[in-house]
Amino acid sequence: MIVLGCNNISLSFGVREILKDISFSINDTDKVGVVGVNGAGKSTLFKIIIGKYLPDSGEIYTAKNSKLGYLEQNSGLDSSNTILDEVLAVYSHFTEMESRMKDLEKSMSTEKDEGRLHSIMKEYSRLTDEYTRLGGFEYKSRAKGVLKGLGFEEDQFSLNAKNLSGGQKTRLALARLLLTEPDILLLDEPTNHLDINAIEWLEEFLSNYKKCVLVISHDRYFLDRITNKTLEIENCECKLYNGNYSTYLNKKAVDREIQQRHYELQQKEIARMEAFIEQQRRWNREKNIIAAESRQKAIDRMEKIEAPKSLPQKVRMEFKSRIASGNDVLFVEGLGKEYPGKPLFKDVKFNIRKKERVFILGPNGCGKSTLLKILTGEIDSYKGSFRYGHNVNLGYYDQEQEELNPNNTLIDEVWSADEKLSETEIRNVLAMFLFKGEDVLKPISTLSGGEKGRISLIKLMLSEANLLILDEPTNHLDINSREILENSLSDYDGTLLIVSHDRYFIDKLATRIIELRETSCIDYNGNYTEFHEYKSKLNLSSDNQSKSAKVTSAKMEHIATKEERARKRKLEKQLSETEKEINTTEARIKEIEQQMTQEEIISDHVRLMELHNELNGLNSRLEELYELWDDLMSQNNE
C-alpha cells in the first residue's frame, strides 16, 4: 500500500532552483535511502513532506491516519525532564492507565456494596487486560533498551536533559522518536553523534521496523544494511531505484551508459537524415523538396533522447609525502589518560610501521580523539610515553577544525599552510576543492562544517607529511567527497593513523584496527568486516562458556509469560482475519445468489454456469472457515 507520494514538487529560493518536478511514491514497509551531494535538496524535501516548507507547485500525499515522525540534523530536546522521564513521556497512555488502576485498587479495598464492587472489579479486569495486551509490562524496559542501544548508560538516566551536550540531546530526540513508532519515519543523518555500536544497534532496530522509513545518510555501510530502495536527488530532479546503495550505484552507471548509447545512436540517425535533407534541397526539384520535407517531418516527430546530465562536480585531491620516513614510524608504550572521576584509557601499547593504515575504534567517550591529541602534542598531561621514528613528519586533521582562524579569508588561511606558493597556485588548489571565484574571499567563520572540513583537507594536502593523523575526516563530507578521500588516501605513499566510525571508509582503507578499552586494547590486522567477524566469534565463545544454571525460575516464568502473550496475540490476529474472511465470503455468496435471480443472467447460460461454480467454491470455503474459527476460539479460551 502506498503510504507517501510526491507529485511534481518544485521549490526555488529566489532565483535558485532547489527541486524540480519531484515525483515518487513509497509503500508502507519500504526502507528508502535518500542520497545526493550536500546542497542537493534532501533536507528541503523532508521539510516539504512534514509541512515546514510549502512547495511552489505540486502535491504531497500521505495515507489516511498515517503518523509522520521527523528527526532533522542536530535536532535536540531542550527539556527539564530527566533522560528516562523524557522518553517515558511517549507512553503517557500507560501512565494514565496505571493511575486509573491504582484508583480502582483503592476503591476495591474500601467498597462495601457488592454491586458496586462487582462493577469496579469488572472495569479493573478490563483495564488490566488492555494494559497487558498493549505491552504495559514491557514499556519501561523497552524505553531503557532504546536508550542503552543509542549509547546512554544506566547511571545517566537520571541526568537532566538540559545539561546534555548537543550530540547527546540529538540521541535523546532520536530515542524518543523511535519509541513513538510513526507510520512514516523521516531521519536526517541519524548516525551523526553515534559510535559504531550504536549505529549497529540502530541498523538492527530499523531492519526490524515494520513501517516506512526514509533516511538521509552519507553512511554507505548503514544504507546497504537497511534500505531496499534508493531515492537520488541530483540536478534538482529525482529518480527512485529498487535496491540498496551499492545496487543503486551499479544501476545508475548502467542507466547512464544505456542513455548515452541511445543518445549517440539517435544523434547519428538525425545527422544522416539531415544530410539527406540537405542533399535533396540542393537538387531543388519538386520531388526532392517533397522528400526533404517528409524527412524533416520525421525528425520533428521523433521523440528526442537527452544526453545524460552532467554529474555534480567532484572534489579533486592528492596526498603525497615530501620525504620518506624510516620503517619504524611510532612507538606507544603504556599510554594512559584520565580526568577527575573519569578514566578514559590506560596501558595502551602499539607500534606503527611505515605505510600501515591503522584505525582507532571504540565507543563514544573512550578517549579516541584524546589519544590523537596526545600524539600530536595538543594535550601534554598523560601517563606513559610515545616517540616517533626517523624522518617522521606528521600532519593532523582535527574534526573540530580548531586550527582554522575564523577571521581569515579562505585564500589567506590556505596560503598560511605554504607561503611559498603564488596566489594563482593557491586559487588552483582551492578550485580543486570547489572553492572558485569570489568564494575564496569569504571569511572562514561563514563556512559550513563541510566547507571547513575541505579547507582543513587542503592544508593537510599541502603539508606533504609522511604520517597523517586524522580525527573523523569523513564527518560533514557527502558521499562523493568521501569516495574521493578514500581513493586519495588509498594511493597515499605514507602512513595513516585514523579515528573514524565510517565502516565503509574503514573497510576500504584499514590494514589494522586498534580498539580502545578502559584497561586494554585489541590490536587486529585486517579491515572492519574481518574485525567484526573476529569480535563476534570472541563474544560467541565467551557467551557459550558463561551459559550455565544462571536462568532463575523467575526468569523462566517471565519467558513463559512472554511466550504465552505472543501466542495469544497471534491467535487473536488469526481469529480477526478469519472473521473478516467469513464476512467477505458471506457477502459475496449473497451477492451471487441475487445475481442468479436476474433475468439477464438466467438467459446467459455461460455467465450462469460461472456464477454457479463460484458459488460452490465459496460455500466449500465458508465451511472450512467456520471449522477454523471454531478451532481458534477453542484455543483462545484454553
Side-chain angles (χ1 to χ4, degrees):
M1 183 185 81
I2 293 175
V3 71
L4 172 67
C6 290
N7 184 33
N8 294 323
I9 296 295
S10 296
L11 180 69
S12 297
F13 291 147
V15 296
R16 185 185 167 212
E17 190 173 48
I18 307 297
L19 301 171
K20 178 185 176 184
D21 296 331
I22 299 292
S23 296
F24 62 88
S25 58
I26 306 295
N27 292 325
D28 53 355
T29 56
D30 279 338
K31 309 286 195 305
V32 184
V34 183
V35 300
V37 298
N38 286 343
K42 305 182 296 295
S43 299
T44 301
L45 175 61
F46 274 19
K47 286 171 182 173
I48 291 172
I49 291 171
I50 65 165
K52 189 172 182 179
Y53 291 166
L54 288 175
D56 299 330
S57 61
E59 296 175 328
I60 299 289
Y61 161 81
T62 53
K64 188 177 180 182
N65 298 325
S66 59
K67 184 170 68 173
L68 278 166
Y70 173 52
L71 179 82
E72 61 182 317
Q73 282 189 64
N74 304 317
S75 63
L77 294 170
D78 189 20
S79 167
S80 56
N81 285 336
T82 65
I83 289 174
L84 183 58
D85 286 343
E86 189 58 43
V87 293
L88 289 179
V90 169
Y91 295 113
S92 58
H93 56 294
F94 282 129
T95 54
E96 288 169 7
M97 291 170 79
E98 287 167 350
S99 177
R100 178 59 182 155
M101 285 158 66
K102 284 179 182 175
D103 289 343
L104 291 171
E105 286 168 2
K106 196 178 293 183
S107 297
M108 283 190 291
S109 66
T110 58
E111 183 60 55
K112 304 299 183 187
D113 183 271
E114 282 195 20
R116 288 269 307 145
L117 182 60
H118 178 73
S119 176
I120 293 169
M121 290 174 68
K122 189 175 179 181
E123 184 184 354
Y124 182 80
S125 177
R126 180 196 60 76
L127 197 58
T128 305
D129 287 345
E130 185 181 3
Y131 183 81
T132 303
R133 180 177 60 81
L134 294 175
F137 291 106
E138 292 93 26
Y139 80 92
K140 287 182 181 177
S141 60
R142 178 173 171 76
K144 290 177 180 179
V146 169
L147 285 172
K148 287 178 180 177
L150 292 175
F152 290 101
E153 299 294 336
E154 195 145 1
D155 59 6
Q156 294 178 305
F157 290 176
S158 59
L159 295 178
N160 193 303
K162 275 194 172 182
N163 298 328
L164 301 179
S165 67
Q168 288 173 318
K169 286 180 178 179
T170 301
R171 282 190 282 137
L172 181 56
L174 176 58
R176 183 182 165 112
L177 177 61
L178 295 178
L179 289 167
T180 63
E181 299 186 15
D183 303 293
I184 305 168
L185 181 58
L186 303 169
L187 301 174
D188 192 348
E189 292 290 356
T191 59
N192 284 358
H193 311 294
L194 299 184
D195 58 31
I196 289 178
N197 289 339
I199 293 172
E200 289 175 344
W201 178 90
L202 182 60
E203 281 173 354
E204 186 71 19
F205 183 96
L206 294 178
S207 295
N208 294 322
Y209 195 67
K210 303 301 182 188
K211 300 175 183 178
C212 176
V213 178
L214 281 85
V215 56
I216 297 169
S217 181
H218 298 311
D219 187 329
R220 294 152 291 173
Y221 206 102
F222 178 75
L223 291 173
D224 271 350
R225 291 286 301 275
I226 69 162
T227 61
N228 69 315
K229 290 184 179 177
T230 302
L231 180 70
E232 179 194 61
I233 300 180
E234 187 173 276
N235 295 317
C236 305
E237 298 175 351
C238 82
K239 185 170 182 179
L240 186 63
Y241 293 82
N242 285 321
N244 62 13
Y245 177 78
S246 294
T247 304
Y248 140 77
L249 272 187
N250 294 330
K251 285 184 176 179
K252 179 181 179 180
V254 170
D255 287 354
R256 284 183 65 84
E257 186 180 340
I258 291 171
Q259 187 180 353
Q260 181 67 34
R261 195 181 307 140
H262 287 175
Y263 169 76
E264 289 172 356
L265 288 171
Q266 188 182 64
Q267 290 300 305
K268 192 180 290 185
E269 176 64 11
I270 290 172
R272 189 186 66 77
M273 293 169 73
E274 287 176 339
F276 174 83
I277 292 167
E278 181 63 28
Q279 183 187 62
Q280 295 299 310
R281 283 176 175 162
R282 278 202 309 270
W283 290 345
N284 201 28
R285 296 174 187 169
E286 185 178 354
K287 67 177 182 178
N288 300 122
I289 292 170
I290 291 171
E293 288 175 350
S294 174
R295 201 59 62 91
Q296 183 61 56
K297 286 177 182 176
I299 292 175
D300 294 341
R301 285 195 303 269
M302 192 181 289
E303 187 175 340
K304 303 299 188 296
I305 298 171
E306 289 186 4
K309 291 188 176 178
S310 299
L311 294 170
Q313 281 189 299
K314 290 187 177 182
V315 168
R316 290 177 291 127
M317 63 181 85
E318 181 183 6
F319 293 94
K320 58 184 179 182
S321 57
R322 185 183 300 113
I323 57 171
S325 70
N327 286 327
D328 294 314
V329 172
L330 176 61
F331 302 88
V332 174
E333 186 64 38
L335 212 57
K337 177 66 179 176
E338 63 179 47
Y339 293 104
K342 186 183 180 184
L344 293 180
F345 54 83
K346 67 179 181 180
D347 200 28
V348 172
K349 303 175 186 176
F350 60 85
N351 299 332
I352 297 178
R353 292 178 64 80
K354 183 179 178 181
K355 293 195 175 181
E356 280 195 301
R357 300 200 288 257
V358 182
F359 279 76
I360 307 289
L361 306 186
N364 284 346
C366 74
K368 303 184 296 295
S369 296
T370 301
L371 175 62
L372 296 193
K373 288 180 185 293
I374 290 170
L375 297 176
T376 55
E378 301 282 315
I379 293 176
D380 55 13
S381 171
Y382 54 87
K383 293 178 181 177
S385 63
F386 68 92
R387 63 183 177 86
Y388 291 102
H390 180 63
N391 268 350
V392 172
N393 172 27
L394 71 90
Y396 173 50
Y397 177 95
D398 178 9
Q399 65 167 315
E400 295 166 358
Q401 283 94 41
E402 290 182 350
E403 86 285 0
L404 300 180
N405 184 339
N407 299 318
N408 273 348
T409 63
L410 273 64
I411 194 167
D412 288 337
E413 184 63 31
V414 174
W415 218 334
S416 68
D418 192 342
E419 296 178 352
K420 297 190 299 294
L421 297 176
S422 67
E423 181 176 344
T424 301
E425 288 172 318
I426 293 295
R427 283 181 175 271
N428 287 340
V429 172
L430 283 162
M432 288 170 62
F433 284 75
L434 308 184
F435 296 110
K436 300 177 181 178
E438 296 301 310
D439 284 348
V440 304
L441 301 178
K442 286 181 180 177
I444 294 291
S445 60
T446 64
L447 300 185
S448 67
E451 289 169 329
K452 287 179 180 176
R454 277 157 38 210
I455 293 294
S456 292
L457 286 173
I458 292 175
K459 295 178 70 175
L460 192 68
M461 189 177 79
L462 292 175
S463 73
E464 297 185 331
N466 54 33
L467 168 62
L468 298 182
I469 297 180
L470 313 176
D471 190 2
E472 297 287 5
T474 61
N475 277 7
H476 307 297
L477 296 184
D478 58 35
I479 290 176
N480 281 347
S481 299
R482 290 182 186 209
E483 289 171 349
I484 299 297
L485 179 60
E486 281 165 9
N487 294 331
S488 302
L489 293 177
S490 185
D491 295 335
Y492 173 58
D493 59 354
T495 307
L496 297 173
L497 178 61
I498 304 175
V499 166
S500 178
H501 67 266
D502 185 334
R503 294 159 297 167
Y504 204 101
F505 180 69
I506 302 169
D507 249 1
K508 184 84 176 279
L509 289 173
T511 61
R512 184 173 161 202
I513 287 172
I514 295 171
E515 184 179 74
L516 283 190
R517 298 188 169 192
E518 191 174 316
T519 58
S520 62
C521 63
I522 297 176
D523 196 336
Y524 180 84
N525 288 317
N527 65 14
Y528 178 77
T529 299
E530 294 162 346
F531 175 67
H532 190 266
E533 289 171 0
Y534 167 74
K535 276 189 68 180
S536 296
K537 288 174 184 174
L538 275 184
N539 291 337
L540 185 62
S541 173
S542 173
D543 288 345
N544 287 338
Q545 290 173 12
S546 65
K547 279 181 182 176
S548 59
K550 289 184 180 179
V551 181
T552 63
S553 60
K555 187 170 183 179
M556 289 295 290
E557 186 179 337
H558 175 67
I559 292 170
T561 303
K562 284 187 73 174
E563 288 176 347
E564 176 62 18
R565 286 178 190 148
R567 186 186 75 84
K568 284 276 189 185
R569 284 196 296 269
K570 186 177 179 181
L571 277 174
E572 286 168 1
K573 185 180 178 184
Q574 288 178 314
L575 200 56
S576 175
E577 288 172 351
T578 303
E579 287 171 349
K580 284 179 185 175
E581 191 176 350
I582 287 172
N583 292 334
T584 304
T585 305
E586 286 177 338
R588 179 58 182 156
I589 288 172
K590 187 175 181 181
E591 183 183 346
I592 290 173
E593 288 172 344
Q594 288 175 347
Q595 286 180 353
M596 291 174 72
T597 62
Q598 295 170 4
E599 287 186 19
E600 62 268 26
I601 298 294
I602 293 171
S603 59
D604 185 347
H605 297 295
V606 175
R607 179 62 180 144
L608 191 63
M609 184 58 69
E610 288 175 352
L611 290 173
H612 184 265
N613 290 338
E614 185 181 353
L615 185 63
N616 286 340
L618 288 170
N619 280 321
S620 297
R621 177 59 180 157
L622 191 59
E623 287 179 14
E624 293 172 2
L625 289 170
Y626 281 139
E627 287 177 9
L628 177 61
W629 183 84
D630 187 59
D631 182 52
L632 290 171
M633 284 295 290
S634 299
Q635 291 182 54
N636 199 38
N637 292 328
E638 287 176 2

